[in-house]
Amino acid sequence: MSDQPVAAAPGRARLSPRKKQKITRGTQYVVLGVVLGALLLYVDWASLSQNFAKGDVAEKALPELFTIALRNTLIYTIGGFVLAFVLGLIFALMRISPVRPYRWIATIYIEIFRGLPALLIFLLITFLPLALPGFEVPGGTYGQGILGLGLVGAAYQAEVFRAGLQAVPKGQTEAARSLGMSAARAQFTVVIPQAIRIVIPPTTNQFVSLLKDSSLVLFLGVSGQYVELAKFGNDLASQYANATPIMVAGLTYLIVTVPLGYLATRLEKRKGSGR
Amino acid sequence: MTPAIEIKGLHKYFGANEVLKGIDITVEAGQVVCVVGPSGSGKSTLLRCVNLLEEPTEGTVHVEGIEVTDPDADIDSVRRRIGMVFQQFNLFPHMTALQNVMISQRRVLKRSSKEAEIVARDNLNKVGVSDKCDAYPSQLSGGQQQRVAIARALAMDPDLMLFDEPTSALDPELVGDVLAVMRKLAEEGMTMLVVTHEMGFAREVADRVVFMDGGVIVEDGPPAQVIGDPQHERTRSFLKRVLHPEG
């Protein structure tokens, strides 16, 4: 905003810009106050806290909340992330390959798995043993969850990698090739290490996204020692007919996702300011 | 003696655009040849055809008697003997200066890390940046980066060097350092094909100056002739613009 006094046009402009701004801001505070007041008046806080934040029900979630649920969420997520990372890199390299069928396969895979709801993939995975008699996903329930997250994550991660690989200037490959490196050697020694630096921030976001999607493991019909946060919260909520465990599970997600989100933002800023 | 570079009937198209329209040029071992000409004349493309960074559309390129345009040629092994220096330096930003000079010795020539480091330090010393071994490219000035890039090429013990406008991206006060290194190389007898706008360098260092315009070689001869007493009107008008930009 300019601090210079603006000469009022004669006969007009009864309000200076600064005064106008003051009124607008004042109105916004009034609206906020009214909405908050209405909430305080009309919401039944006792019943709300009874159902969503009941202390003794929350206590029932401990210690399994961390020893089983969070632990499993992290197992599914990290396993899925590793699979997505490896598959994603392979699909990204295929997508920019000079071999046309590789490009087709990668493109089709990426479009399908980005286009389908992750939930659908998980539902299909439960039918795999029917479709392929005798086939069993290695690692049992963990394996199924990791497979689902990995297959979905790979499609997104492939696009992240592709963008990263294409962000490395062409001159880098040319320099490597003119030093006598083969095309593959140049990729692995010069291009991929730089691409990985570029993709660290979006990959961190990708991890957060997988962590949230790990809640879909719920639909694999897991139980007992295999439950992750969402299923764990949901089961306890049914047991006590109270939503508090779901809130507790939600908070536990936030404990992990919020710091990771900040980390991604910081990494992005650092990238922007050079090495 | 086999010429270092022998180019015959070279044509290069980018789509329908003919950038090189039949180039014949030979560079003998030990010669320094400067290619000058207006931008868009095809100088850089010509240079990039020598180590096949650009694939010639037509014609042959021989490097030390080996036909690099032969589809069966082992281009990686030919490139090992051709050092290339780029306008934009193209150092590897994720490696220190020392690592930049070591990496291809290690990976391509399979030298031990000890030997590669000795060779790298020698060459960084030679180009005058031995105090910057542990710096990353982003911490170096353009002139220092370009000298590291020259050291990186030299560490492969090339038989010939290609320079693609090596000083065009530099601040004026940094040009001299790079030219001094190139002059030293020339004095040591390195075979050099240099695309440049530095007329002073071409006049003093080159054995031959080649003037290109519109995808053809207009004039080719000793610097005293091509720069001092050009025979063609196109060469004359180009030199006039370069040497006396304000007319």
Side-chain angles (χ1 to χ4, degrees):
Chain A
M1 272 286 115
S2 165
D3 281 335
Q4 276 184 353
V6 179
R12 190 177 164 264
R14 271 153 300 202
L15 290 173
S16 71
R18 204 182 295 179
K19 203 156 207 172
K20 251 186 206 164
Q21 198 198 355
K22 230 176 189 171
I23 292 174
T24 314
R25 195 171 296 170
T27 315
Q28 289 172 2
Y29 276 110
V30 170
V31 170
L32 180 68
V34 169
V35 171
L36 284 180
L39 278 177
L40 280 172
L41 274 176
Y42 293 107
V43 172
D44 183 346
W45 290 97
S47 147
L48 193 72
S49 69
Q50 188 66 18
N51 277 289
F52 282 85
K54 203 169 176 218
D56 55 330
V57 177
E59 269 168 42
K60 297 276 196 311
L62 296 170
E64 287 85 358
L65 175 73
F66 295 110
T67 57
I68 293 181
L70 178 61
R71 179 172 152 267
N72 282 336
T73 287
L74 291 178
I75 288 174
Y76 290 123
T77 306
I78 292 169
F81 179 75
V82 170
L83 185 62
F85 194 91
V86 175
L87 281 180
L89 185 55
I90 293 170
F91 280 122
L93 290 172
M94 282 171 76
R95 184 130 199 216
I96 57 174
S97 157
V99 183
R100 208 170 286 174
Y102 279 176
R103 290 207 301 269
W104 293 337
I105 295 169
T107 307
I108 290 169
Y109 179 89
I110 291 166
E111 291 305 332
I112 288 179
F113 280 82
R114 282 200 315 171
L116 288 176
L119 172 58
L120 211 81
I121 310 293
F122 276 88
L123 294 176
L124 288 174
I125 282 179
T126 60
F127 282 94
L128 267 183
L130 280 181
L132 305 162
F135 174 78
E136 219 176 292
V137 179
T141 308
Y142 283 137
Q144 286 187 339
I146 287 169
L147 180 68
L149 289 171
L151 289 178
V152 174
Y156 290 94
Q157 192 61 33
E159 287 296 270
V160 168
F161 277 134
R162 183 181 61 86
L165 289 169
Q166 287 177 342
V168 177
K170 234 183 126 208
Q172 292 290 309
T173 313
E174 289 182 351
R177 295 305 304 272
S178 42
L179 287 163
M181 291 188 203
S182 68
R185 170 78 70 201
Q187 275 290 323
F188 283 100
T189 321
V190 173
V191 179
I192 291 178
Q194 291 183 56
I196 285 183
R197 264 157 223 247
I198 296 172
V199 304
I200 286 175
T203 301
T204 311
N205 286 326
Q206 201 50 49
F207 183 87
V208 170
S209 176
L210 277 186
L211 187 90
K212 293 188 287 178
D213 280 349
S214 70
S215 60
L216 294 169
V217 167
L218 180 79
F219 292 93
L220 291 176
V222 296
S223 60
Q225 60 172 118
Y226 294 112
V227 300
E228 43 63 63
L229 280 170
K231 170 84 170 155
F232 177 79
N234 194 40
D235 286 355
L236 273 187
S238 313
Q239 192 182 330
Y240 294 101
N242 189 292
T244 306
I246 297 177
M247 296 293 284
V248 170
L251 269 176
T252 315
Y253 278 111
L254 290 176
I255 290 172
V256 186
T257 54
V258 171
L260 279 175
Y262 274 101
L263 179 69
T265 314
R266 276 195 55 181
L267 290 171
E268 225 152 292
K269 276 198 189 129
R270 211 177 64 179
K271 196 183 75 187
S273 63
R275 67 177 314 113
Chain B
M1 207 174 144
T2 324
I5 305 170
E6 191 174 20
I7 295 172
K8 280 187 191 149
L10 176 64
H11 290 257
K12 174 66 186 176
Y13 287 80
F14 288 115
N17 184 18
E18 189 175 17
V19 180
L20 297 178
K21 302 172 179 168
I23 301 281
D24 297 282
I25 185 175
T26 304
V27 178
E28 301 296 341
Q31 266 192 339
V32 177
V33 176
C34 284
V35 183
V36 302
S39 57
S41 59
K43 319 179 289 283
S44 288
T45 308
L46 169 64
L47 196 76
R48 291 161 61 87
C49 280
V50 174
N51 67 350
L52 238 59
L53 284 184
E54 301 293 351
E55 193 109 22
T57 313
E58 206 182 296
T60 60
V61 177
H62 284 80
V63 173
E64 301 186 310
I66 298 169
E67 187 187 343
V68 298
T69 36
D70 179 352
D72 294 330
D74 179 359
I75 187 62
D76 291 341
S77 83
V78 178
R79 280 180 177 147
R80 263 167 241 174
R81 287 186 268 146
I82 309 174
M84 176 129 184
V85 176
F86 299 86
Q87 183 178 350
Q88 298 298 337
F89 331 132
N90 294 350
L91 289 181
F92 306 134
H94 57 304
M95 301 179 190
T96 63
L98 188 68
Q99 289 167 336
N100 261 280
V101 185
M102 285 175 67
I103 183 73
S104 55
Q105 297 186 60
R106 299 274 291 123
R107 296 284 188 271
V108 178
L109 300 180
K110 311 286 180 196
R111 285 180 183 155
S112 72
S113 119
K114 209 171 195 173
E115 189 191 356
E117 185 174 340
I118 292 171
V119 174
R121 287 189 188 277
D122 274 356
N123 280 295
L124 286 167
N125 192 31
K126 184 175 179 179
V127 300
V129 286
S130 51
D131 53 333
K132 299 290 181 187
C133 284
D134 298 321
Y136 284 92
S138 60
Q139 298 164 326
L140 300 175
S141 74
Q144 290 166 336
Q145 287 190 56
Q146 192 59 296
R147 284 181 284 155
V148 173
I150 294 173
R152 177 175 70 176
L154 290 176
M156 301 294 285
D157 299 327
D159 296 339
L160 58 142
M161 291 279 288
L162 308 174
F163 291 86
D164 188 4
E165 301 199 24
T167 57
S168 296
L170 297 178
D171 290 336
E173 76 271 22
L174 303 175
V175 168
D177 294 338
V178 172
L179 290 181
V181 168
M182 291 169 63
R183 192 183 293 254
K184 196 158 93 183
L185 267 182
E187 281 162 9
E188 288 171 6
M190 175 63 78
T191 310
M192 295 163 63
L193 184 56
V194 185
V195 172
T196 187
H197 291 295
E198 299 292 333
M199 289 303 152
F201 177 83
R203 183 156 32 198
E204 289 164 35
V205 181
D207 297 302
R208 266 165 57 208
V209 173
V210 172
F211 174 70
M212 278 182 77
D213 192 15
V216 296
I217 291 177
V218 179
E219 222 161 316
D220 180 347
Q225 182 197 313
V226 177
I227 299 177
D229 181 23
Q231 303 299 303
H232 289 74
E233 178 48 37
R234 280 150 94 185
T235 320
R236 275 198 289 269
S237 79
F238 170 74
L239 287 172
K240 213 167 115 191
R241 272 177 287 136
V242 175
L243 298 173
H244 311 287
E246 282 158 56

